Amino acid sequence: MDVNDALIDEAVKIYKVLSNKNRIKILYFLENHEADVSSIVDHLSIDQPVVSHQLAILYQYQLVTKTKQGKHMYYCLDDPHILKMVDAMLGHVSHEIKGEPHQY
Amino acid sequence: MDVNDALIDEAVKIYKVLSNKNRIKILYFLENHEADVSSIVDHLSIDQPVVSHQLAILYQYQLVTKTKQGKHMYYCLDDPHILKMVDAMLGHVSHEIKGEPHQY
DNA sequence: TTGACATATGTTATATGCAACATATAATAT
DNA sequence: ATATTATATGTTGCATATAACATATGTCAA
């Protein structure tokens, strides 16, 4: 594998984005449908300014897209591939928690 | 996918560990062989206390194992699966950088 | 135009992460 | 015992991340 420095920098940025519970929860909430800010606030019980702020970060790093419809801003997962990677990580930690050995 | 809260907490912890260039570089350096601290310092040109500190974090989160042999502490990747996930992330950002669309 | 609702932004305080540097511990040889 | 090498730990300063709260902007209806 070509372990290029600039590439690692970019990967580190995405890992920082994923290093936050609220952002992960938002990504999962968007897994199967787009949603506006209020519905995210309601379903995840996170304060509105916090949701807006985290969505702005997810948008900045192109993990979500947004579309305005009247008063509502609809956010959509822009990257199912990212969620696949998060799935893999959740699978990994779930084995860690159970004390199971790694799978190769 | 069962999006369990405690699981997300654990995933967030691992993402934080991966949110650092030196740690990623160390993991890649350990990809195919174990290595002692000095050889990591030499090959990656990172100051020794920094390497020791980052290795301690990698060890704490069970991403590496360590074995003492005389004066030397040998570190070994404990988790090829983690590196597979990092590979996937590097592949992802490499497409992002090139402006290519996501693959599904 | 005013009010109500949806969303975003700004501010502050606190917490966390990191490198850099100095220093400590451990192992071995002399 | 002392010196030397290998590694680990502690401290400080700085940058960044976060939540909480207040406030601003935008949209639409009455």
Side-chain angles (χ1 to χ4, degrees), chain A residues 49-67:
Chain A
V50 172
V51 170
S52 280
H53 182 224
Q54 304 306 341
L55 282 169
I57 292 170
L58 292 171
Y59 181 75
Q60 178 187 353
Y61 289 93
Q62 302 176 47
L63 271 58
V64 299
T65 56
K66 58 180 178 182
T67 315

Side-chain angles (χ1 to χ4, degrees), chain B residues 57-72:
Chain B
I57 292 170
L58 292 172
Y59 180 74
Q60 179 186 352
Y61 288 94
Q62 302 177 48
L63 271 59
V64 299
T65 54
K66 59 180 177 179
T67 316
K68 192 163 210 167
Q69 281 180 19
K71 275 191 275 197
H72 298 256

Side-chain angles (χ1 to χ4, degrees), chain B residues 36-38 48-49 52 73 75:
Chain B
D36 63 359
V37 179
S38 324
Q48 179 272 316
S52 279
M73 186 69 84
Y75 284 87

Side-chain angles (χ1 to χ4, degrees), chain A residues 14-56:
Chain A
I14 304 296
Y15 281 134
K16 284 187 182 168
V17 175
L18 297 177
S19 297
N20 178 284
K21 189 174 187 171
N22 286 334
R23 288 193 289 267
I24 300 259
K25 286 167 96 171
I26 291 171
L27 288 177
Y28 266 105
F29 184 66
L30 295 176
E31 183 168 17
N32 296 313
H33 49 82
E34 64 176 14
D36 63 358
V37 179
S38 324
S39 71
I40 298 173
V41 169
D42 291 345
H43 284 85
L44 300 183
S45 302
I46 305 171
D47 288 343
Q48 180 273 317
V50 172
V51 170
S52 280
H53 182 224
Q54 304 306 341
L55 282 169

